[in-house]
Amino acid sequence: MKLLSRMRLRGRGPLAAAALCFAAAATGQTYPQRPITLVVPYAPGGPTDQHVRALAEEAGKILGQPIVMDNRPGASGTNGAAALTRAAPDGYTLAVLPASVYREPYINKVPFDPRTSFSYVVLLSDYAFGLAVKADAPWKTWKDFAADAAKRPGKLNIGATGAVGTPRIVMDEIGEAAKLQFNMVPFKGDADVTNALLGGHIDAAPLSGVAVPHIEAGKMRYLVMLTPQRVKRYPTLPTLKDEGIDAFIDSPYGIAGPAGMDPAQVQRVQDAFRKALDSSASQRVLDQLNQPVNYLGAADYRTYALASHAREKDRVERLRKKGLLD
């Protein structure tokens, strides 16, 4: 009798495992059963909001439930990350994570840890920054601008979002690499930077897709792209790497859920947004914003995020040594 009991107990192992697999598959097939909330840590109408809104509409059609946008600007783009720490890991609260999420824990007390607080779902795109100037600016190329900066250390004013935003940090790194001194001017957001540049209050600014309509209208132009490779919209415009400076702005964004999300749900959302990225609606917005598709699935996205978080520690320590942080 004891031997028979042990045999029966051992026999339950494969059955139990099969039942668990079936339950996970069923969860993936039935999810979602109600609208999904997507927290966007930027104001409506901005570049990120425009693209993610188009993606959410397409992904919602694929998932069979609407994806409702919840815009929460402020806190250096980390309000979405914070929201995930308060949400149940049931797949019905997601958030857009910008690159600042990896840096902010080294600067301020935040309720999240990029290593443990999220279920990374899908990386979507990368902002394509260029160094923008007014159309009537005296510099025609990066070499012109750099030569002027070398003659007048600290005299050229470059505006960027935030004191420790990615564009501002990279411009500081570019200055070090090129042995140039810029006067960096912080602003609250891209709209403020853009208006200051158009108004002649600053000399240049690292701007992403917000500059495109002004470039098309003949009010601005890029001196150089701050991207790893040349961009499709301006194929003849060199990058800093083309100019011999190994620096670029790496600032992608993606979607995550709370830690502990069901893997089947992660897979469903990942696949829906992957298909949405290929849609004509998504491509139309990306073309307008001069942005590439930068897709990574859940596993690769997590690997990228952890590496980025580790890298930001060195950046923050360097900023502190220079007195740019308290």
Side-chain angles (χ1 to χ4, degrees), residues 28-45:
Q29 290 170 0
T30 58
Y31 165 85
Q33 294 183 324
R34 64 176 189 270
I36 297 170
T37 296
L38 178 59
V39 182
V40 181
Y42 299 108

Side-chain angles (χ1 to χ4, degrees), residues 30 104 174-175 210 255:
T30 58
E104 197 66 15
I174 290 169
V210 296
I255 291 176

